Amino acid sequence: MLAAGETRKFGIPRGSALVVQWNLARPLSANERPMGEELRGSAVVRASGGTIDQRASTRVGDVAYFAPLITNASDQLLHVTVNAGLEGAVDCGCAIRPGARRVFIGYYRLYQNSTVLAKDSTGHSAIFRDLGPKVVSADGTAGLRFETKDLR
């Protein structure tokens, strides 16, 4: 297991090949269910000498992923749905406590019109829309802040 940003070096005999596989460790909700979508990838590395750099990515094939980091600046518990209103909507199965900052709820498919919806127990909600072009960080994270005044 490697932490985000951590690197590991392996020696490979010249002329050989190594299959490198990675799986994202998904965060768990309060009821121990994995949040977000499974991310995994692999690469065949052929040793021809020198150093070969291989990285895990938020893009798998032609599919991009993003990680909403939820800040709850409201006074209510918030339930979050990613890509709400779209065919691939996913309820994170989590409840973000008031005052929580940049809570990682997993990675989700990123579309041009991706959304993140937060709903409180009274049925009030707030939504971030069209996130596709706004997610620009290399790690696919997007900080989203929900405040009481946003919930309608």
Side-chain angles (χ1 to χ4, degrees):
M1 261 182 71
L2 299 176
E6 189 176 341
T7 61
R8 183 79 44 94
K9 290 186 179 189
F10 299 95
I12 307 171
R14 187 179 295 272
S16 64
L18 175 71
V19 176
V20 179
Q21 296 178 313
W22 61 271
N23 295 300
L24 173 73
R26 294 162 61 191
L28 298 177
S29 66
N31 62 359
E32 302 293 317
R33 292 195 178 157
M35 294 186 289
E37 297 187 46
E38 290 187 39
L39 259 70
R40 66 181 67 178
S42 64
V44 176
V45 179
R46 301 192 190 290
S48 58
T51 301
I52 299 167
D53 186 35
Q54 188 67 42
R55 298 174 187 267
S57 172
T58 57
R59 180 172 287 281
V60 179
D62 61 351
V63 179
Y65 293 85
F66 78 114
L69 301 177
I70 307 298
T71 295
N72 183 357
S74 80
D75 56 0
Q76 298 285 322
L77 203 61
L78 295 178
H79 297 274
V80 177
T81 302
V82 179
N83 288 322
L86 304 179
E87 187 175 316
V90 179
D91 182 334
C92 75
C94 60
I96 311 296
R97 289 187 295 256
R101 300 177 69 187
R102 297 182 65 80
V103 176
F104 174 57
I105 61 169
Y107 276 88
Y108 299 83
R109 289 178 190 260
L110 178 64
Y111 306 104
Q112 288 293 97
N113 60 342
S114 279
T115 63
V116 175
L117 171 76
K119 190 178 283 190
D120 68 17
S121 60
T122 67
H124 293 103
S125 64
I127 190 166
F128 282 90
R129 297 181 190 280
D130 300 323
L131 293 171
K134 298 172 186 165
V135 177
V136 295
S137 64
D139 63 1
T141 57
L144 303 174
R145 178 183 172 92
F146 293 94
E147 298 182 14
T148 302
K149 66 180 173 119
D150 302 322
L151 298 167
R152 297 187 174 105

